[in-house]
Amino acid sequence: MAMTGLKSHWGQGWLAVGLVGLFAIATLLLTRPQAGPRFSPLSGLMALQASAQAAMPYDQALGSQKPTLIEFYADWCTTCQALAPTLQTLHHRYGEQVNFVMLNIDDPRWNQQIEQFQVSGVPQLTLLRPDRSVVDSFIGKVPKSVLSDSLITLLKA
């Protein structure tokens, strides 16, 4: 009888060890980094700042006869940083036809525009026709395909 209880105890121990091992392997597989391009806060901030430097000044954009994409952003906004490479790609593709403007919400000189365009979060992307009427606004990280389709529609209008 004592031997049977001992075998049962050892069997439960090996079962527990097996379950712990299985859990550890599953955790490792589920939490490993994803393959593909990696985003780091530093690279995102650098892309965001490079985009801001390449952007057209707001007043100059208003004086042109082209449609405009205004990005309301903040340097501390990680979603803005993550979206920066997408907007850089779109700027390279549509920059001859569309004004790309970036307004930092932490800069008090843009308070009037923040109120005018009812900015409620960052990033906010506002699309304007050449007559400066608002076509659409997006808040947050927007897929490149959605933005590209919106820019194509804006250009056809």
Side-chain angles (χ1 to χ4, degrees):
M1 188 92 135
M3 193 61 131
T4 306
L6 186 60
K7 284 182 185 177
S8 175
H9 178 71
W10 279 103
Q12 289 175 355
W14 285 112
L15 179 63
V17 168
L19 287 174
V20 168
L22 183 61
F23 179 75
I25 291 169
T27 301
L28 178 66
L29 292 174
L30 292 174
T31 60
R32 71 178 177 197
Q34 297 293 323
R38 294 185 181 180
F39 171 76
S40 76
L42 182 57
S43 66
L45 180 59
M46 289 170 51
L48 186 64
Q49 290 175 343
S51 294
Q53 289 178 339
M56 178 176 280
Y58 179 75
D59 293 335
Q60 186 179 345
L62 291 184
S64 83
Q65 297 300 312
K66 295 194 285 188
T68 300
L69 181 150
I70 303 173
E71 178 185 6
F72 293 92
Y73 76 99
D75 286 335
W76 49 262
C77 170
T78 55
T79 304
C80 301
Q81 295 169 11
L83 187 60
T86 297
L87 289 173
Q88 284 179 327
T89 300
L90 294 173
H91 188 180
H92 289 301
R93 179 185 256 164
Y94 299 105
E96 295 296 319
Q97 302 162 291
V98 176
N99 300 318
F100 282 77
V101 175
M102 294 184 66
L103 303 180
N104 188 333
I105 64 162
D106 290 329
D107 187 334
R109 70 182 155 156
W110 305 124
N111 286 345
Q112 180 182 353
Q113 288 75 16
I114 290 167
E115 187 175 320
Q116 175 185 355
F117 294 108
Q118 301 174 350
V119 176
S120 61
V122 288
Q124 177 171 312
L125 306 172
T126 301
L127 300 172
L128 305 175
R129 291 184 184 94
D131 68 0
R132 302 303 160 233
S133 60
V134 175
V135 175
D136 211 347
S137 285
F138 302 95
I139 299 172
K141 188 168 186 202
V142 182
K144 182 165 57 172
S145 60
V146 171
L147 290 174
S148 185
D149 290 347
S150 295
L151 289 171
I152 290 168
T153 302
L154 179 64
L155 289 168
K156 289 179 182 177

